[in-house]
């Protein structure tokens, strides 16, 4: 009962590395994506996303013929769905998850499903999404049985196995992290574990689909709540004239205390999103989780206010903003608080805004239209009266502190000291 052919639906930040790693184990992998450009790029042995070493592995498996991409699903032994789960658009500030991509993927693979197939949902999803996916599949294929009808004896096995890899370390973490395998029945879990064991060195721990969904949301909410605690402390410390970084270092010397780092806010497409899936399911109960989101979302406005107050001390302020990405040493600008701060600063007209971002080579459109200049670190530091440290990139950590002597520094990452 080994897997001869695996299909990965959605070839983005998670799907493509997963497809490539499975293909590197000698299994035939067919990647499916609605984006023709992504499909063509992969079939040329190239990649359309940024992730260290992914280009090398994709080129290798495309060359050997173990990985190929297409826009049209075809029969396989297992299907892994790795499509986005954004919010529904709303004007009332609600954060209802949008399962349209999962539904579209279900409808796309349903016609090619065969008895004995395994379907895995990898996308981070609200509790109940795997059951919904199985319902959509069952509606499209009344000739087959699914776990919600037949349990272990169903024709098709369905499981949720959430991705948990850290951007920038995806290839290592795909293999070394433990996996949570949430089948809709025991037989579903066991079959899914068999697949993951072909490429995962970590442990494959079995549970049910709803617990697996909640486990993923819990992990990211745990981090969000802990970052909110650090961010709240930083605002309290400013008011009480205490250095928050020193305070956290001292507190973390306690054997059971491990406070995370304050920052300009929480970015990326995971931690700033997933906790809302819990809040949306249980709005009256998830009070702390919701407050953490509000606290972290407020932090960019606080940092912005501090930069503006610093700039107001100068007649013609030049403000150097160090960093645009959502965290250190990556090029990803998605939901970046640093980018949000730089855009708002330019809009406020408080002074000349220049940005430094060593990991990107083209300014995003939102900065071009706001007349923001991007320049080298040395040139920015030379011209600035105010320096706002927004990302803790390695090159910023190495800056000689003497350079800041006659400038006002707003250090949201605690690297200036
Ligand atoms: N941040 C802080 N202070 C900290 C740590 C992080 O302000 O002490 C900020 C970062 O600067 C960034 C944001 O939080 O803006 C998120 O960064 P991150 O490194 O905490 O997480 P992500 O979004 O890159 O990846 C997370 C990971 N989840 C956990 O660590 C629990 C990853 O394992 C998940 O696979 C990923 O979300 C995902 O796809 O869900």
């Amino acid at each position: 009962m080994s897997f001869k052919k695996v299909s990965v639906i959605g070839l983005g930040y998670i799907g493509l590395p997963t497809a490539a790693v499975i293909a590197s184990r000698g299994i035939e992998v067919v990647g499916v994506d609605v984006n023709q450009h992504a499909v063509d790029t992969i079939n040329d042995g190239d990649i359309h996303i940024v992730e260290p070493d992914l280009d090398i592995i994709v080129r290798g498996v495309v060359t050997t013929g173990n990985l190929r991409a297409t826009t049209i699903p075809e029969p396989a032994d297992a299907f892994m769905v790795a499509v986005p789960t954004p919010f529904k658009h709303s004007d009332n500030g609600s954060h209802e998850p949008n399962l349209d991509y999962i539904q579209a993927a279900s409808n796309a693979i349903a016609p090619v499903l065969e008895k004995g197939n395994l379907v895995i949902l990898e996308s981070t999803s609200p509790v109940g999404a795997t059951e919904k996916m199985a319902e959509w599949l069952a509606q499209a294929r009344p000739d087959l049985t699914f776990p919600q009808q037949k349990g272990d004896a169903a024709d098709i096995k369905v499981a949720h196995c959430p991705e948990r890899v850290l951007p920038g370390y995806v290839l290592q973490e795909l293999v070394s992290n433990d996996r949570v395998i949430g089948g809709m029945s025991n037989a579903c879990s066991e079959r899914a574990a068999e697949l993951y064991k072909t490429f995962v060195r970590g442990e494959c721990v079995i549970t049910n689909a709803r617990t697996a969904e909640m486990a993923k949301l819990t992990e990211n909410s745990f981090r969000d709540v802990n970052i909110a605690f650090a961010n709240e402390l930083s605002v309290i410390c400013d008011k009480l004239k205490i250095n928050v970084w020193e305070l956290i270092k001292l507190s973390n010397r306690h054997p059971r205390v491990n406070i995370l780092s304050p920052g300009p806010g929480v970015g990326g497409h995971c931690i700033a999103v997933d906790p809302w899936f819990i809040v949306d399911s249980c709005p009256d109960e998830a009070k702390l989780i919701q407050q953490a989101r509000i606290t972290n979302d407020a932090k960019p406005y606080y940092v912005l206010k501090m930069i503006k107050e610093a700039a107001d001390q100068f007649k013609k302020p030049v403000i150097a903003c160090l960093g645009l990405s959502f965290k250190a040493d990556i090029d990803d600008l998605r939901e970046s608080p640093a980018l949000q701060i730089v855009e708002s600063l330019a809009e406020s007209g408080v002074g000349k805004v220049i940005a430094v971002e060593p990991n990107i080579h083209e300014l995003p459109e939102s900065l071009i239209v706001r007349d923001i200049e991007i320049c080298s670190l040395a040139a920015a530091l030379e011209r600035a009266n105010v320096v706002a440290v927004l990302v803790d990139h390695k090159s910023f950590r190495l800056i000689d502190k003497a350079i800041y002597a006659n400038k006002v520094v707003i250090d949201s990452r605690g690297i200036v000291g």
Side-chain angles (χ1 to χ4, degrees):
M1 285 268 285
S2 65
F3 295 90
K4 290 203 174 61
K5 184 171 169 185
V6 172
S7 179
V8 178
I9 318 296
L11 295 171
Y13 282 89
I14 301 302
L16 181 56
T18 305
V21 167
I22 297 175
S24 74
R25 300 295 187 267
I27 296 172
E28 181 188 352
V29 180
V30 179
V32 182
D33 203 290
V34 291
N35 177 347
Q36 185 69 53
H37 167 71
V39 165
D40 294 341
T41 307
I42 294 162
N43 285 334
D44 285 342
D46 288 330
I47 57 173
H48 60 295
I49 53 176
V50 177
E51 180 60 39
D53 299 332
L54 182 61
D55 52 343
I56 300 167
I57 176 166
V58 167
R59 172 145 307 151
V61 289
V62 169
T63 308
T64 57
N66 283 352
L67 174 65
R68 106 192 118 74
T70 170
T71 54
I72 300 160
E74 50 189 79
D77 299 315
F79 295 84
M80 303 171 92
V81 176
V83 295
T85 41
F87 299 127
K88 281 187 181 160
H89 288 295
S90 88
D91 295 329
N92 62 4
S94 82
H95 292 86
E96 198 187 331
N98 176 353
L99 302 187
D100 288 356
Y101 294 97
I102 298 180
Q103 188 168 16
S106 309
N107 290 335
I109 61 174
V112 298
L113 282 184
E114 289 167 1
K115 199 171 167 175
N117 281 174
L118 167 69
V119 182
I120 292 175
L121 179 62
E122 277 228 5
S123 315
T124 303
S125 301
V127 173
T130 310
E131 289 159 6
K132 275 214 177 102
M133 181 180 79
E135 273 167 35
W136 288 321
L137 293 171
Q139 278 160 16
R141 289 300 299 272
D143 56 319
L144 292 169
T145 58
F146 289 81
Q148 63 270 36
Q149 306 149 336
K150 282 275 173 98
D152 277 350
D155 292 335
I156 306 293
K157 310 272 182 280
V158 180
H160 180 59
C161 308
E163 64 83 9
R164 307 158 95 193
V165 288
L166 197 67
Y169 299 86
V170 168
L171 290 175
Q172 293 98 298
E173 291 209 350
L174 260 180
V175 175
S176 60
N177 286 4
D178 291 345
R179 292 302 293 239
V180 175
I181 313 266
M184 283 185 65
S185 72
N186 285 338
C188 296
S189 300
E190 270 157 31
R191 185 72 176 137
E194 259 180 74
L195 176 59
Y196 283 93
K197 281 180 186 161
T198 62
F199 66 97
V200 170
R201 261 207 317 269
E203 212 178 311
C204 295
V205 189
I206 285 175
T207 181
N208 58 49
R210 293 176 79 84
T211 309
E213 286 160 345
M214 190 61 180
K216 170 62 197 259
L217 303 180
T218 300
E219 290 159 15
N220 280 353
S221 300
F222 171 86
R223 199 152 166 84
D224 198 43
V225 167
N226 281 280
I227 297 169
F229 179 74
N231 278 335
E232 184 168 295
L233 268 184
S234 73
V235 177
I236 293 170
C237 283
D238 282 350
K239 192 162 176 189
L240 299 180
K241 300 195 178 1
I242 291 168
N243 179 324
V244 70
W245 312 99
E246 185 194 355
L247 173 85
I248 290 175
K249 253 192 220 141
L250 293 173
S251 300
N252 282 349
R253 283 173 172 259
H254 185 288
R256 283 174 297 284
V257 174
N258 186 11
I259 303 169
L260 292 180
S261 304
V266 168
H269 201 71
C270 308
I271 297 195
V273 174
D274 302 353
W276 286 118
F277 291 2
I278 301 180
V279 176
D280 184 69
S281 299
C282 299
D284 294 333
E285 293 78 15
K287 297 271 188 263
L288 178 64
I289 296 172
Q290 179 168 20
Q291 185 53 49
R293 281 280 71 248
I294 293 167
T295 301
N296 285 333
D297 278 352
K299 194 66 198 290
Y301 297 100
Y302 177 79
V303 175
L304 180 67
K305 187 170 139 264
M306 290 182 68
I307 301 170
K308 281 202 225 152
E309 282 170 8
D312 279 342
Q313 301 170 31
F314 298 89
K315 251 195 180 147
K316 279 189 162 187
V318 176
I319 308 157
C321 295
L322 306 194
L324 293 173
S325 60
F326 86 82
K327 64 176 184 176
D329 304 318
I330 57 165
D331 68 339
D332 195 337
L333 302 181
R334 288 181 301 172
E335 327 288 332
S336 169
L339 185 64
Q340 183 190 337
I341 291 166
V342 174
E343 285 169 3
S344 307
L345 204 54
E347 263 166 28
S348 72
V350 69
K352 173 76 187 156
V353 179
I354 47 184
V356 181
E357 179 43 82
N359 299 307
I360 64 164
H361 305 293
E362 266 174 53
L363 262 190
E365 189 58 28
S366 67
L367 296 194
I368 296 170
V369 297
R370 289 176 174 86
D371 195 26
I372 295 168
E373 204 183 308
I374 195 155
C375 74
S376 71
L377 179 59
L381 290 174
E382 166 94 36
R383 286 164 61 193
N385 323 100
V386 177
V387 180
V389 181
L390 303 177
V391 185
D392 46 343
H393 289 314
K394 268 192 207 100
S395 54
F396 300 164
R397 287 178 180 274
L398 298 173
I399 298 171
D400 178 359
K401 310 278 182 287
I403 289 177
Y404 297 121
N406 56 353
K407 306 178 193 303
V408 182
V409 181
I410 306 298
D411 179 12
S412 73
R413 296 283 183 175
I415 62 172
V416 175

